[in-house]
Amino acid sequence: MDFYGTIGPACAQPAILQHMVEAGMTGIRMNLSHGPLAAHTDWLAMIRAAGIRQLLIDLQGPELRIGTLAEPVALVEGSSVRLGADGVPCPAALVQAAAPGQQLLLDDGKLLVQVTQALPEALLCTVVRGGTLQSRKSIAAPGLAVPSPTLTEEDLQNLKIAKQCGVTGVMLPFVRGKADILALRHALEEAGAADIRIFAKIENMTGVRALPEFIHLVDEVVIARGDLGNAMPLWELPRCQKQLSAACRAAGVPFMVVTQMLDSMCTRAVPTRAEVSDIYNAVLDGAASVMLTGETAAGQYPMQAMEYLVRTAQTALA
């Protein structure tokens, strides 16, 4: 079984990475939504020096994100916020697609706004659930189809140098169907990297419904519960996860479970009982791998989080 962490400021130190490997980490993810592969030569060197053999890059793909902010923006419940031109930067395709009444979940659903007026270049929204919005955080628009390419220009540039950077797997966000997988496969072949594995991230209901058409075209399915949890009431998410797990087992295709597995460990040295039970049950369901994201990238206890992830999974396997 594979155990992945995510590299970020909290763990990008040789000693910490080495401790995570000693705790049982077998691979690491690099989220390229926060910067291109070429800009992370220091991280790549640390990964190699720590003896980490599996490196996954998480592409931008058709994912929607807030742009770069000069400073974090405080969204106060009941106040107005402008998304788009002369406001909080967001994809133009979202501005064109959204209509009044559309809800937008920001930062994995931590924040919620509702569109009140759709202008040609911006959306005027009311804050329903407030908090602090930071750069490059995710946007989910439940029920709305936003036209966007499978791969961004930056994705294509990252794929061109992926093999020479030691990348072993590519994670494609928001897979919508067979065409997305074929587009990525073609791009890898064009880059001379056809042997790099493809990890298809299921992050909305389009991906859930389309799974049968592309499941045999990928090396691993990723049950990415962050945005997937924005696509449905949260109380329905466990059932969806179980159904996706069963579909992967039936097809004989490996799958990964990810997102908030040990979220409390971003600020606490010991996880909740519910979190370790979540890991245990994912392994019992047949997961080939499990991954930590913010817990190791930005959390206060990256080494301890990896130890809890590995030890809990190994107990389930025993």
Side-chain angles (χ1 to χ4, degrees), residues 191-254:
D195 57 330
I196 289 180
R197 302 175 71 215
I198 290 178
F199 291 69
K201 296 177 73 178
I202 309 299
E203 301 192 84
N204 55 26
M205 293 311 298
T206 301
V208 171
R209 289 190 289 267
L211 181 61
E213 75 176 57
F214 66 78
I215 192 168
H216 290 293
L217 300 177
V218 305
D219 296 287
E220 194 157 332
V221 170
V222 181
I223 304 175
R225 303 176 303 180
D227 281 291
L228 190 57
N230 289 332
M232 64 191 72
L234 274 179
W235 50 85
E236 294 181 5
L237 180 60
R239 178 175 61 190
C240 184
Q241 177 179 329
K242 294 284 186 181
Q243 290 170 339
L244 291 171
S245 300
C248 291
R249 288 197 308 273
V253 175

Side-chain angles (χ1 to χ4, degrees), residues 13-309:
Q13 299 176 36
I16 294 178
L17 283 178
Q18 191 60 52
H19 279 300
M20 290 166 67
V21 170
E22 291 169 359
M25 184 175 72
T26 59
I28 201 158
R29 160 186 175 257
M30 188 180 293
N31 186 357
L32 299 185
S33 290
H34 301 292
L37 194 54
H40 292 303
T41 54
D42 54 341
W43 286 5
L44 292 170
M46 276 189 276
I47 289 168
R48 286 193 295 270
I52 301 169
R53 294 186 177 86
Q54 297 189 65
L55 170 60
L56 307 185
I57 54 173
D58 202 339
L59 300 180
Q60 295 178 8
E63 184 175 28
L64 301 174
R65 283 185 178 269
I66 293 295
T68 301
L69 302 169
E71 58 184 7
V73 176
L75 300 184
V76 179
E77 186 174 328
S79 67
S80 297
V81 61
R82 182 184 178 100
L83 301 183
D86 300 319
V88 173
C90 72
L94 174 64
V95 174
Q96 297 302 313
Q102 175 68 50
Q103 291 193 330
L104 302 174
L105 292 144
L106 313 177
D107 192 3
D108 283 341
K110 295 182 179 70
L111 314 175
L112 173 64
V113 303
Q114 183 164 320
V115 178
T116 54
Q117 187 177 357
L119 303 176
E121 297 183 344
L123 300 172
L124 302 184
C125 307
T126 297
V127 178
V128 179
R129 184 166 59 244
T132 301
L133 179 63
Q134 301 191 43
S135 297
R136 305 298 301 159
K137 292 302 181 180
S138 64
I139 306 172
L144 182 65
V146 180
S148 52
T150 300
L151 301 169
T152 66
E153 183 57 38
E154 197 166 276
D155 286 335
L156 293 172
Q157 294 305 314
N158 286 324
L159 292 174
K160 287 179 181 178
I161 63 171
K163 193 173 181 66
Q164 70 189 64
C165 289
V167 172
T168 59
V170 173
M171 305 180 79
L172 182 62
F174 287 91
V175 174
R176 298 163 294 190
K178 179 180 179 180
D180 285 340
I181 302 303
L182 294 179
L184 175 55
R185 184 73 70 186
H186 177 72
L188 286 170
E189 291 171 353
E190 288 284 300
D195 57 330
I196 289 180
R197 302 175 71 215
I198 290 178
F199 291 69
K201 296 177 73 178
I202 309 299
E203 301 192 84
N204 55 26
M205 293 311 298
T206 301
V208 171
R209 289 190 289 267
L211 181 61
E213 75 176 57
F214 66 78
I215 192 168
H216 290 293
L217 300 177
V218 305
D219 296 287
E220 194 157 332
V221 170
V222 181
I223 304 175
R225 303 176 303 180
D227 281 291
L228 190 57
N230 289 332
M232 64 191 72
L234 274 179
W235 50 85
E236 294 181 5
L237 180 60
R239 178 175 61 190
C240 184
Q241 177 179 329
K242 294 284 186 181
Q243 290 170 339
L244 291 171
S245 300
C248 291
R249 288 197 308 273
V253 175
F255 68 93
M256 173 193 295
V257 178
V258 63
T259 315
Q260 294 185 333
M261 302 207 82
L262 292 171
D263 190 62
S264 72
M265 292 194 73
C266 288
T267 56
R268 298 173 68 247
V270 178
T272 68
R273 276 65 174 162
E275 287 169 334
V276 292
S277 293
D278 177 44
I279 297 168
Y280 194 95
N281 280 304
V283 175
L284 290 185
D285 285 344
S289 57
V290 285
M291 176 185 286
L292 298 179
T293 52
E295 299 95 334
T296 58
Q300 297 176 20
Y301 303 95
M303 294 181 293
Q304 294 90 332
M306 183 55 63
E307 184 175 354
Y308 269 104
L309 180 77

